[in-house]
Amino acid sequence: MWRTELAPRLKRTALVWLAVYPTVLTVLSVLGPYLRQWPLPLRVLGSTLVIVPIVVNISAPLVEALVSELRRYWLRHRQRSAGHE
């Protein structure tokens, strides 16, 4: 039973990572020089105050839409290929 539950969790984990990683990389690249002098707890607080809203409202929905579009494209391509055999 756990195998059937694992696949959706792995897919969700991959989608979240695809949204989080580029967001964290971009935010830290832009804000890193400004946050460098702050104590670590404040750096983490400051960066997460920016990162979490971006991921929740922009990155994650964008990744989900892109993956959905790619899935539709792949299914159409697969159906066309199967029809030409």
Side-chain angles (χ1 to χ4, degrees), residues 3 8 12 23 25 33 47 58 62 68 71 73 75 77 80:
R3 271 186 117 196
R12 186 72 188 155
T23 305
L25 182 63
S47 59
I58 299 170
L62 181 62
S68 178
R71 186 178 296 138
Y73 173 79
L75 288 173
H77 179 70
R80 287 183 196 153

Side-chain angles (χ1 to χ4, degrees), residues 26-59:
T26 303
V27 169
L28 292 181
S29 295
V30 172
L31 296 181
Y34 303 104
L35 299 176
R36 192 164 290 147
Q37 298 160 353
W38 294 12
L40 181 61
L42 290 179
R43 277 186 290 187
V44 173
L45 177 64
S47 59
T48 57
L49 282 173
V50 175
I51 292 168
V52 171
I54 291 172
V55 168
V56 169
N57 295 300
I58 299 170
S59 301

